Amino acid sequence: MRQSHLFTKTRREAPKDEVAKNAQLLIRAGFVHKEMAGVYSYLPLGLRTLTKIETIIREEMDGIGGQEIQMATLHPSEPWKKTGAWDNVVVLFKIQSRTEKEYALGQSEEEIVAPLVGDYALSYKDLPLSVYQIGQKYRDELRAKSGIMRGREFGMKDMYSFHIDQEDFDRFYAIAKEAYLRIFSRCGLTARVTEASGGAFTEKLSYEFMVLTDAGEDDILYCSDCTHCANVEVATQKEGDVCGKCSKGTLAIAKASEVGNVFDLGQKYPRELGYSYKDKDGNEQLPIMGCYGIGTTRLMGTIVETLSDDKGMIWPESVAPFTFHLISMSSNDAEAVAFADALYADLTKKGATVLYDDRDMRAGEKLNDSDLMGIPTRLIVGKETIKSGEVEVVSRASGEVKKMTREAVLAL
Ligand code: ATP
Ligand code: MG
């Protein structure tokens, strides 16, 4: 994409009321636009990154047999009233129609998915199964000061699985946990798994996937040696103790961001919403249900928080909006421009994603914008570099600079 065509512009300042680093950088770089506290629109660069994150998640969910669907986000009030969530879930947005009917906006979709699956999977032969979706969620959060990491409208991947017994549920739970760890590592993050009680959902075991960052809202106790960690609220050990899991490292407290979680929901939703299947003997049984969430927009914010420096963002290639940022440094020099145009055409032709800064602007400003946007590999073409037929290749992450021929760049 030619940067001269990109309708967004970088900004020197983020809005004054925006305190979170992730939102400050994303807004300044033109990745997102703030509509109000906790509500953001995604612009071309930000949407490309969010889509890449979603693609990684989709591949991993498909890989464990998840079937993608898209459920409604405007919900009837009845199932929410049946489970008690209409009154108990304080973040639920409730909408009053002019016809006096009431609706809910999806904040999670157990209430919709259990009856939906229950319309089809009526025999033990239809189970196990898992469905997932990637889309918007709405929550009336009190505090929305963490930028895109805590929104009132935000992106989530939510998967739900249904099983005939606990053993089969446990089998799938372990597989899903592994898929989650792959997702976070493919996004360039190290996630630790905590064991926590299921909170409002269930008394059963749940796992939270935590990434250490000062921008997180959770306090966790983590081990210096192994991947063990626990939420401070439920931990039985304290800071400075020797880790109970590996008996080697010591425990320290840090802030972390919960990028995902998995819950054993037991039979609560099938029971309350009337979903049963017929077992081998023709008796009606309640399936065991699990739910598996990942905050897609929180994940994007967490990547910005953990991978950035004082100049801007540093995207791992797996989720970067583009792989290459080609910068034409001498926009008045016809020969240098022709060289850059040709390189852009050739890279694009071979399938590489390139943001081509072809704007007529000072070189220093272009480099500052490039640092802010954080595209992994910068290709600098100028009057000086083309004399030797070379391109300057700069890594945003390490700052390493290499001189390469056009041919070598095309082989990258
Ligand atoms: P938290 O404790 O941070 O409020 P939660 O326990 O309410 O999270 P879930 O209801 O299980 O979270 O939602 C699944 C995932 O969605 C979370 O792990 C988190 O990554 C993400 N998430 C939850 N609330 C928000 C929000 N307001 N904005 C952005 N992402 C969110
Ligand atoms: Mg919450």
Side-chain angles (χ1 to χ4, degrees):
M1 173 175 213
R2 282 180 182 264
Q3 211 166 326
S4 59
H5 293 182
L6 188 65
F7 83 88
T8 59
K9 306 277 179 285
T10 58
R11 298 185 190 177
R12 257 182 249 283
E13 310 278 342
K16 289 204 172 50
D17 61 338
E18 192 62 80
V19 293
K21 177 165 85 169
N22 67 82
Q24 287 178 351
L25 291 174
L26 289 164
I27 291 170
R28 285 184 47 215
F31 279 54
V32 305
H33 181 260
K34 185 175 191 172
E35 305 307 339
M36 58 179 155
V39 179
Y40 299 87
S41 297
Y42 285 72
L43 305 176
L45 297 174
L47 185 60
R48 288 179 74 99
T49 286
L50 185 60
T51 303
K52 282 178 96 171
I53 292 172
E54 291 174 351
T55 300
I56 290 174
I57 295 174
R58 187 171 283 121
E59 285 170 5
E60 295 293 345
M61 293 298 98
D62 289 347
I64 61 171
Q67 300 181 42
E68 187 171 6
I69 61 175
Q70 185 181 305
M71 289 184 273
T73 49
L74 182 63
H75 295 174
S77 61
E78 290 77 14
W80 290 95
K81 287 180 176 160
K82 275 190 198 163
T83 62
W86 184 262
D87 294 315
N88 299 335
V89 173
V90 292
V91 295
L92 184 67
F93 274 114
K94 301 168 192 171
I95 297 177
Q96 173 96 51
S97 156
R98 58 185 167 152
T99 63
E100 277 169 26
K101 239 177 116 60
E102 290 173 309
Y103 302 95
L105 284 184
Q107 61 91 34
S108 186
E109 307 226 344
E110 286 78 1
E111 274 76 0
I112 299 299
V113 77
L116 183 156
V117 169
D119 272 349
Y120 302 95
L122 292 167
S123 154
Y124 72 95
K125 290 182 195 152
D126 299 324
L127 299 178
L129 72 85
S130 54
V131 294
Y132 75 95
Q133 62 176 354
I134 301 175
Q136 305 299 88
K137 293 282 180 287
Y138 302 87
R139 291 186 186 183
D140 195 359
E141 301 276 4
L142 275 187
R143 291 172 308 134
K145 291 201 180 126
S146 301
I148 67 166
M149 292 167 70
R150 181 170 299 282
R152 298 200 167 98
E153 173 174 347
F154 59 96
M156 195 202 283
K157 183 284 301 179
D158 41 330
M159 178 165 78
Y160 307 89
S161 72
F162 299 84
H163 307 266
I164 57 167
D165 57 26
Q166 191 67 35
E167 191 186 338
D168 190 61
F169 173 82
D170 291 343
R171 173 196 61 81
F172 187 75
Y173 209 37
I175 291 173
K177 227 170 103 180
E178 292 307 313
Y180 265 44
L181 290 172
R182 283 197 299 275
I183 288 168
F184 301 125
S185 110
R186 288 179 64 185
C187 290
L189 298 174
T190 306
R192 293 159 180 270
V193 191
T194 69
E195 285 182 16
S197 85
F201 277 114
T202 162
E203 289 310 305
K204 296 198 168 200
L205 196 62
S206 72
Y207 299 100
E208 291 173 344
F209 295 78
M210 296 289 189
V211 174
L212 297 185
T213 163
D214 286 338
E217 294 181 10
D218 290 78
D219 293 303
I220 64 160
L221 206 56
Y222 73 101
C223 174
S224 58
D225 243 59
C226 70
T227 57
H228 173 65
C229 79
N231 215 307
V232 167
E233 284 166 38
V234 298
T236 48
Q237 291 194 283
K238 56 182 197 307
E239 186 155 35
D241 284 356
V242 172
C243 172
K245 273 264 158 71
C246 70
S247 315
K248 269 166 58 195
T250 45
L251 299 177
I253 289 182
K255 289 262 177 234
S257 163
E258 183 197 307
V259 286
N261 58 32
V262 298
F263 287 104
D264 177 347
L265 296 172
Q267 297 170 313
K268 171 183 159 69
Y269 291 93
R271 181 182 305 113
E272 292 170 352
L273 297 164
Y275 166 24
S276 61
Y277 67 92
K278 275 200 170 55
D279 69 12
K280 276 196 180 78
D281 306 317
N283 298 319
E284 293 293 330
Q285 302 286 355
L286 297 173
I288 291 178
M289 186 174 166
C291 75
Y292 313 77
I294 291 181
T296 52
T297 47
R298 181 178 292 181
L299 184 52
M300 178 166 160
T302 303
I303 297 170
V304 175
E305 293 284 345
T306 52
L307 303 172
S308 51
D309 60 18
D310 52 358
K311 294 189 213 144
M313 301 182 281
I314 305 174
W315 295 105
E317 198 174 325
S318 60
V319 295
F322 294 91
T323 300
F324 296 109
H325 201 176
L326 171 60
I327 301 184
S328 165
M329 299 287 271
S330 320
S331 31
N332 300 320
D333 184 280
E335 216 183 320
V337 169
F339 188 103
D341 279 355
L343 185 58
Y344 173 59
D346 289 345
L347 279 168
T348 308
K349 202 188 291 165
K350 71 159 242 208
T353 59
V354 188
L355 181 63
Y356 173 25
D357 194 346
D358 60 340
R359 298 173 301 169
D360 186 9
M361 246 168 87
R362 280 193 12 249
E365 269 180 84
K366 291 189 176 189
L367 295 178
N368 285 344
D369 280 355
S370 180
D371 280 336
L372 178 61
M373 288 175 180
I375 294 168
T377 303
R378 184 181 303 163
L379 306 173
I380 295 181
V381 173
K383 248 195 303 214
E384 298 309 311
T385 60
I386 61 161
K387 269 187 201 148
S388 54
E390 282 178 326
V391 177
E392 213 172 84
V393 181
V394 187
S395 155
R396 174 66 180 90
S398 68
E400 190 195 358
V401 183
K402 283 190 224 157
K403 289 253 164 57
M404 286 181 145
T405 62
R406 241 181 81 81
E407 289 68 35
V409 168
L410 284 170
L412 277 177

